[in-house]
Amino acid sequence: FTGERHSRALWTVISDPPPPAEQKNVAIPAELSDLIERMLARDPQNRPATAADVVEALTALERQLHEQQKRVMRRRRLAA
């Protein structure tokens, strides 16, 4: 969050949702950006209920990205 003055920056933190992580770093997968957004939700009902839920989501994301990477590598070998 940025602002010309500290008060504006603080107001932004209070009133505006944080920008998506993938907007700040295009290398961040959309699914991870979504998880970060849920973790930062103002309403606790919209956040993961437990740290175990976060670990589960991260593990699933890691598995998904690993499978995508394996498919890309397979295609590259077949194309070579």
Side-chain angles (χ1 to χ4, degrees), residues 12-69:
T12 301
V13 169
I14 292 169
S15 62
D16 295 347
E22 64 186 317
Q23 182 180 351
K24 294 291 187 178
N25 182 343
V26 296
I28 295 176
E31 297 86 352
L32 179 56
S33 182
D34 293 343
L35 175 60
I36 293 168
E37 191 173 328
R38 288 195 315 271
M39 291 170 60
L40 295 173
R42 296 197 193 287
D43 183 350
Q45 296 296 324
N46 295 333
R47 296 183 208 141
T50 66
D53 291 340
V54 174
V55 170
E56 183 179 328
L58 288 170
T59 301
L61 177 58
E62 180 182 36
R63 196 175 308 118
Q64 176 186 358
L65 293 173
H66 182 70
E67 288 301 317
Q68 287 175 358
Q69 185 179 27

